[in-house]
Amino acid sequence: MKRIKYRSLKIAILLVATGSMAILYWCGFHKEFDKKSVPYNADGIALIDVKNIRNYFIFSYLKNPSQWKFNSKDSKIKKRFDFSNYGIATPDYLALFHIQNQPLNQWCFVATIENETKLNKAIIDSHFIKIENEENFIVYYSKTLNTSIIRFANQILYSKNASQDLKTSIQTAKNLFIKHHYFDAKTVDKILENSNAITLWFQKNNLLEDDGIINISLKDQEIIANGQLNLRPKFRKMAPFLQNPDALMSLGFNFEMIQNQKLLKNHSVTINKMIGFNLDSINIHNPTYTEFVLYNIIEKKDSAVTYDYDDDFNPIKKVVVHTNREPSFSFSMKTNNTKKVYDYLKSENVIDDRHIFLNFPLATTKASVKNNSLILEANHHNVSISKTTELKIAYLQMNFNQLKTQDWHFLITKNNTFSLLKPFEKLKIDLIQKNNLGYFEAHLKTANNISLLESLK
């Protein structure tokens, strides 16, 4: 009898353990992707593995008992990023997609309504207004957020930076919810096979000979992105960029990569107005290797003397000190005939007789031609930063720890998205040639060597 009870207990424990493992796997690791959530004409996809990211933070908590605490700040963050608070179901994968021939900052995603009351509250709280009903669609739009929400039955299409006429967003909703024109299933499978915390997919274009995939993973103290990109041969050429590892920001790239892109062509009028001359007059001289280095932001103090008088009409000297903040930077661009570029800018009164580049009002900028490169420099004479020459296709490096409080305030006021970068110390992006292909690698490191979990609180 005891043996039967003991055997029954073992069976019960085994069943509980098996059931627990099955539940753990289903809740934590089993993932499915809704292939009906991306339209056929997407040319870019950011696939966010929600469970992967959630599991990373759960295991980070388990490895760091000192962080086992919950406060109001934690609750606010969880509330903000909890899908259920907006009345939509939390997916295993969230697919943000970009539609062909649309602005680069216009991205969309599809979600399923889980709680209609919460969804309606979120729409009201975010100041969306209902603007039209069309073919069983209910369309909401927020002018403040420049965002649209298009509802069809129990699904919504969320479009960030939607055009005000909403034609593209409504057509995308029709393609998905009515016409059922979905994205290529084989390509989706390829993306899923290579998926990580976040996976970026790009359709082949005038830069890429084949589709490109970049994986983004989360580590203890940094976020890492890498991937092979089959760049077209003329874009694989590497140049000896003069990097400055201690500069606030340094950027180098081959201008040929952007010279004939739609982004420049479609906004040529705006760009010409912004820079104060015709960019095509530079392009005809085939600009190539371009580098910009922002060393730091320096403070300059100017004093102004004024006089006042006391009751006996005795002069009282007053000194008012004004503090100005100016960038210290250098810019260089190589062309096949930079002297002609310089002469063109001078003929357009962009460069004066003192060799001053006049179209940059924030600092006195000297212009010159050296080694067939156009050089623009401001507050460069006191710069003493180490330099390293490395062969790369392109690179970007930013040292956020050099930004002061007023710099962050200025950036965040311009765009609140910059606040996401405050916990980080450095961003380093490299595009090099490896195995006759382009190899992309990026590292975003936390400040003061604190954990990624702690820095994002």
Side-chain angles (χ1 to χ4, degrees):
M1 188 70 176
K2 288 183 179 180
R3 182 177 296 179
I4 294 175
K5 287 184 177 181
Y6 178 69
R7 185 176 298 173
S8 299
L9 180 61
K10 287 178 65 178
I11 292 173
I13 293 174
L14 181 62
L15 289 173
V16 170
T18 303
S20 299
M21 291 298 292
I23 294 172
L24 178 63
Y25 170 76
W26 185 266
C27 295
F29 299 96
H30 175 79
K31 290 174 282 192
E32 292 182 355
F33 176 66
D34 182 6
K35 296 181 181 180
K36 299 178 181 180
S37 62
V38 181
Y40 75 101
N41 57 342
D43 62 1
I45 300 172
L47 189 67
I48 302 173
D49 189 333
V50 177
K51 283 189 176 180
N52 182 304
I53 296 173
R54 184 194 63 188
N55 292 345
Y56 166 82
F57 285 109
I58 289 175
F59 289 123
S60 294
Y61 266 113
L62 293 176
K63 290 191 297 183
N64 297 276
S66 61
Q67 297 177 11
W68 292 1
K69 55 185 178 181
F70 300 93
N71 52 39
S72 59
K73 186 177 179 182
D74 294 330
S75 300
K76 288 180 181 178
I77 292 176
K78 289 176 182 177
K79 184 177 179 180
R80 181 179 178 184
F81 293 101
D82 189 349
F83 291 91
S84 64
N85 285 304
Y86 304 100
I88 60 177
T90 302
D92 294 337
Y93 294 96
L94 179 65
L96 307 180
F97 57 84
H98 179 267
I99 301 296
Q100 295 172 9
N101 302 317
Q102 294 305 304
L104 288 176
N105 62 348
Q106 185 173 332
W107 288 77
C108 314
F109 70 85
V110 171
T112 302
I113 298 172
E114 186 177 58
N115 186 308
E116 191 163 341
T117 302
K118 287 185 176 181
L119 174 66
N120 290 333
K121 183 179 183 303
I123 287 174
I124 294 171
D125 290 345
S126 300
H127 307 293
F128 282 86
I129 58 173
K130 187 188 295 185
I131 59 172
E132 61 180 291
N133 290 53
E134 181 180 332
E135 296 186 26
N136 298 319
F137 292 114
I138 302 175
V139 183
Y140 300 91
Y141 182 74
S142 169
K143 185 176 181 180
T144 305
L145 301 174
N146 190 18
T147 299
S148 69
I149 295 176
I150 302 174
R151 177 175 177 177
F152 179 81
N154 71 330
Q155 291 182 295
I156 63 170
L157 174 69
Y158 183 97
S159 299
K160 183 64 177 172
N161 295 314
S163 55
Q164 291 192 8
D165 62 6
L166 298 175
K167 289 181 180 179
T168 301
S169 298
I170 292 174
Q171 185 58 51
T172 300
K174 290 179 181 178
N175 289 336
L176 282 169
F177 304 142
I178 296 178
K179 297 181 180 180
H180 307 302
H181 291 171
Y182 306 129
F183 195 72
D184 178 60
K186 290 183 179 179
T187 304
V188 171
D189 291 336
K190 183 179 179 181
I191 297 171
L192 290 170
E193 287 173 5
N194 294 275
S195 68
N196 210 300
I198 302 175
T199 303
L200 306 178
W201 172 88
F202 311 96
Q203 187 181 63
K204 65 179 181 180
N205 49 43
N206 53 2
L207 284 177
L208 300 171
E209 289 191 327
D210 197 3
D211 297 348
I213 291 179
I214 293 176
N215 278 314
I216 300 175
S217 57
L218 308 179
K219 302 299 180 183
D220 287 343
Q221 296 170 349
E222 62 182 335
I223 300 173
I224 299 175
N226 53 51
Q228 292 277 10
L229 298 175
N230 190 2
L231 294 169
R232 297 187 184 278
K234 70 175 183 177
F235 301 130
R236 298 176 197 164
K237 294 180 291 185
M238 295 199 292
F241 291 110
L242 203 63
Q243 294 187 207
N244 289 264
D246 298 323
L248 173 58
M249 185 189 84
S250 51
L251 167 69
F253 61 95
N254 185 345
F255 199 84
E256 292 177 281
M257 298 181 74
I258 66 171
Q259 188 171 8
N260 296 313
Q261 298 299 317
K262 291 181 180 179
L263 180 64
L264 289 184
K265 292 181 178 180
N266 295 342
H267 298 87
S268 59
V269 175
T270 302
I271 293 172
N272 291 342
K273 185 177 180 180
M274 182 176 64
I275 62 179
F277 55 87
N278 192 334
L279 185 60
D280 287 339
S281 298
I282 308 295
N283 285 336
I284 61 174
H285 297 292
N286 300 314
T288 54
Y289 303 117
T290 307
E291 189 164 25
F292 173 77
V293 180
L294 175 60
Y295 297 102
N296 50 39
I297 306 295
I298 64 173
E299 291 187 350
K300 288 186 175 182
K301 294 185 178 181
D302 296 321
S303 59
V305 178
T306 60
Y307 289 90
D308 202 351
Y309 297 90
D310 61 17
D311 293 339
D312 297 324
F313 296 100
N314 296 314
I316 301 173
K317 183 179 180 180
K318 291 184 177 181
V319 179
V320 179
V321 178
H322 298 279
T323 301
N324 296 320
R325 308 189 78 238
E326 295 184 1
S328 170
F329 71 88
S330 66
F331 170 86
S332 64
M333 175 185 284
K334 187 180 288 292
T335 73
N336 60 12
N337 195 328
T338 304
K339 182 63 168 61
K340 284 189 175 181
V341 173
Y342 184 91
D343 291 341
Y344 162 73
L345 294 176
K346 198 165 183 180
S347 69
E348 293 292 306
N349 297 319
V350 176
I351 299 174
D352 67 11
D353 293 334
R354 298 173 300 144
H355 311 291
I356 302 298
F357 183 80
L358 302 176
N359 286 19
F360 187 73
L362 299 180
T364 301
T365 305
K366 296 283 289 185
S368 61
V369 176
K370 298 176 183 177
N371 300 322
N372 203 29
S373 292
L374 176 68
I375 309 293
L376 303 177
E377 296 175 330
N379 297 309
H380 186 253
H381 52 282
N382 292 325
V383 172
S384 58
I385 301 178
S386 60
K387 301 177 181 180
T388 58
T389 302
E390 295 187 39
L391 290 172
K392 293 180 179 178
I393 300 172
Y395 81 93
L396 170 65
Q397 184 166 298
M398 300 188 70
N399 290 308
F400 300 117
N401 56 344
Q402 293 191 22
L403 290 171
K404 297 183 179 180
T405 303
Q406 55 264 52
D407 298 323
W408 280 115
H409 178 74
F410 173 78
L411 291 172
I412 294 171
T413 300
K414 290 292 183 181
N415 190 331
N416 191 53
T417 305
F418 285 113
S419 61
L420 299 175
L421 296 173
K422 284 195 73 174
F424 297 95
E425 179 180 72
K426 178 182 290 187
L427 170 65
K428 190 172 186 293
I429 300 175
D430 290 317
L431 181 59
I432 62 173
Q433 185 181 142
K434 183 185 288 188
N435 301 324
N436 204 31
L437 293 172
Y439 180 75
F440 177 92
E441 186 171 25
H443 295 261
L444 181 60
K445 296 185 178 181
T446 60
N448 304 316
N449 292 322
I450 62 176
S451 69
L452 184 62
L453 173 66
E454 187 68 20
S455 66
L456 293 178
K457 281 188 176 182

